Amino acid sequence: MNNFEFQNPTKIVFGKGSIARLSDLLYKGEKIMMTYGGGSIKKNGVYDQVKKALEGFSVIEFGGIEPNPDFDTLMKAVEVCRKESVGVLLAVGGGSVIDGTKFIAAAVDFQGDPWNLLVKRAEPGEVLPIATVLTMPATGSEMNGNAVISRRATKEKRDMGHPKYFPMFSILDPEVVYSIPKRQKANGLIDAFIHVCEQYLTDDVDAQIQDRWSEGVMKTIVNIAPEVIKDNPTYDACANYMWSATCALNNFINPGVNQDWSTHMIGHELTALCGLDHGVTLAIVLPGTIRVLDKFKRKKLEMFCENVWNLPDGKGDAAADFAIQKTERFFNSLGVKTRLSDYGIGEDVITEIVRRFRERGAVLGEHGIVTPEVAEQILRNRL
Ligand code: NZQ
Ligand code: ZN
């Protein structure tokens, strides 16, 4: 196991009816800006629950944050925060609203062009405190210090991370899952599953606790997915889905292990250039990453076959075949297609992604093994 430091400062308030706890958790003296997305919270009752809990608080609202939150939209919110002297941000939504809110929180006090928080990973100044009410389990953003921001004007999608971006607290009420459309539930299940893969399908560093936790999260996701994807899932399936997605990317499973985020970095380019949902991009790319990096990941692929898929025969050359077959079938069972050609994407997009990676000097993967040329092989495998 590698050396590590671990800290996760976000308090989680989990369960039915927990949105009402907002009134105890927020401080009445501060001006709150509540951020949200395209309006789903107004249809499913979450907006009303939040407003009720915040009666007597000073609250302004900023709605309209889009899926894959856009830099230009967020900069409008930054202006409002500065003008209104906002003291706390309350994100009510999925990963996009939460990520967008982290960016707003960091940009308000930032000197210079806030895009540099992403492309140059610039050190933030003072970051406004953030709290969240999660409405869509997927990204883990409710309990991590990361955010991914898009810029439609230049067809870019870039990420940022800093300990100052962790939310102070997040409210996780599994009943919000009832109103999520099937397409988004599939995206969320796949995203969470692949977050674990990026931290588990790497080198074997004999980190046994982290490996067993990772396998537990993946097995839970596979186990509950058929129920979650139904029109009226049970409360417990929703609760397990919600907590799995948080635990997949809140640093519990990754202390002291090597990580490979190349599937995500390639996926971000597919969203930026072609507009595909985040979860869909990952479902396309992951089988290619496994195929091309098979020899580097062999020991963990064997562990994955045996402990997640119950396939003790998945040894040696067979490990990658079994792993790809099983995971692709799982994604397909959720209604998600896994080939670039299924989405009308061809060679021209691959050429542009490779050009961008070369221009940025991108070397991805656990030991910088995913050069632009290797990314090209991964994508060609998915045509
Ligand atoms: O905008 P509204 O109207 O709220 O509708 C949203 C949106 O259309 C809808 N939705 C959310 N909760 C709902 C609901 N509809 C009905 N009922 C509910 N309870 O779902 C749609 C998608 O929402 P979005 O927030 O975009 O989804 P997700 O949580 O998957 O977030 C995706 C974004 O997070 C980034 C992705 O790249 C993408 O930009 N990621 C963030 C990460 C992080 N911060 O750690 C890591 C991830 O790997 C990921 O990259
Ligand atoms: Zn993801």
Side-chain angles (χ1 to χ4, degrees), residues 138-139 148 187 190-192 194-195 198 249 261 264 268 278-279 282:
T139 65
V148 189
N187 284 339
I190 292 171
D191 191 21
I194 295 183
H195 289 157
E198 304 267 43
L249 196 51
W261 288 95
H264 266 71
H268 289 340
H278 175 62
L282 306 177

Side-chain angles (χ1 to χ4, degrees), residues 295-346:
K295 68 173 186 291
F296 298 99
K297 299 180 182 296
R298 181 66 64 91
K299 278 181 83 176
K300 293 307 279 290
L301 284 168
E302 291 176 345
M303 208 186 272
F304 181 60
C305 286
E306 179 150 11
N307 296 343
V308 177
W309 297 113
N310 213 6
L311 290 170
D313 294 341
K315 294 273 184 270
D317 288 342
D321 295 345
F322 282 6
I324 290 170
Q325 221 178 67
K326 279 295 207 177
T327 43
E328 240 184 311
R329 226 178 260 167
F330 172 52
F331 302 154
N332 296 154
S333 76
L334 301 173
V336 173
K337 295 189 172 145
T338 44
R339 290 265 166 200
L340 287 168
S341 47
D342 293 324
Y343 301 90
I345 296 172

Side-chain angles (χ1 to χ4, degrees), residues 191-207:
D191 191 21
F193 187 88
I194 295 183
H195 289 157
V196 182
C197 293
E198 304 267 43
Q199 300 162 90
Y200 171 86
L201 289 179
T202 58
D203 311 297
D204 184 6
V205 294
D206 195 18

Side-chain angles (χ1 to χ4, degrees), residues 187-338:
N187 284 339
L189 290 160
I190 292 171
D191 191 21
F193 187 88
I194 295 183
H195 289 157
V196 182
C197 293
E198 304 267 43
Q199 300 162 90
Y200 171 86
L201 289 179
T202 58
D203 311 297
D204 184 6
V205 294
D206 195 18
Q208 298 186 32
I209 298 280
Q210 296 85 325
D211 288 345
R212 299 296 88 74
W213 275 348
S214 295
E215 289 157 3
V217 175
M218 288 190 280
K219 285 173 85 160
T220 303
I221 292 169
V222 172
N223 195 33
I224 50 143
E227 178 64 27
V228 167
I229 212 80
K230 285 184 189 163
D231 281 344
N232 294 301
T234 62
Y235 173 82
D236 284 325
C238 297
N240 282 297
Y241 164 36
M242 194 167 236
W243 190 230
S244 315
T246 302
C247 291
L249 196 51
N250 65 355
N251 297 346
F252 282 3
I253 63 169
N254 70 19
V257 304
N258 296 336
Q259 303 177 41
D260 169 12
W261 288 95
S262 47
T263 294
H264 266 71
M265 300 318 282
I266 297 169
H268 289 340
E269 296 305 318
L270 289 172
T271 300
L273 291 165
C274 311
L276 296 188
D277 289 350
H278 175 62
V280 171
T281 69
L282 306 177
I284 296 170
V285 178
L286 180 74
T289 307
I290 295 177
R291 172 59 64 215
V292 172
L293 302 180
D294 170 20
K295 68 173 186 291
F296 298 99
K297 299 180 182 296
R298 181 66 64 91
K299 278 181 83 176
K300 293 307 279 290
L301 284 168
E302 291 176 345
M303 208 186 272
F304 181 60
C305 286
E306 179 150 11
N307 296 343
V308 177
W309 297 113
N310 213 6
L311 290 170
D313 294 341
K315 294 273 184 270
D317 288 342
D321 295 345
F322 282 6
I324 290 170
Q325 221 178 67
K326 279 295 207 177
T327 43
E328 240 184 311
R329 226 178 260 167
F330 172 52
F331 302 154
N332 296 154
S333 76
L334 301 173
V336 173
K337 295 189 172 145
T338 44

Side-chain angles (χ1 to χ4, degrees), residues 38-40 68 94-96 99 135 141 144 146 157 176 179 195 264 278:
S40 69
N68 304 304
S96 294
D99 283 8
T135 65
S141 188
N144 71 37
N146 308 323
K157 182 170 180 181
V176 300
S179 63
H195 289 157
H264 266 71
H278 175 62

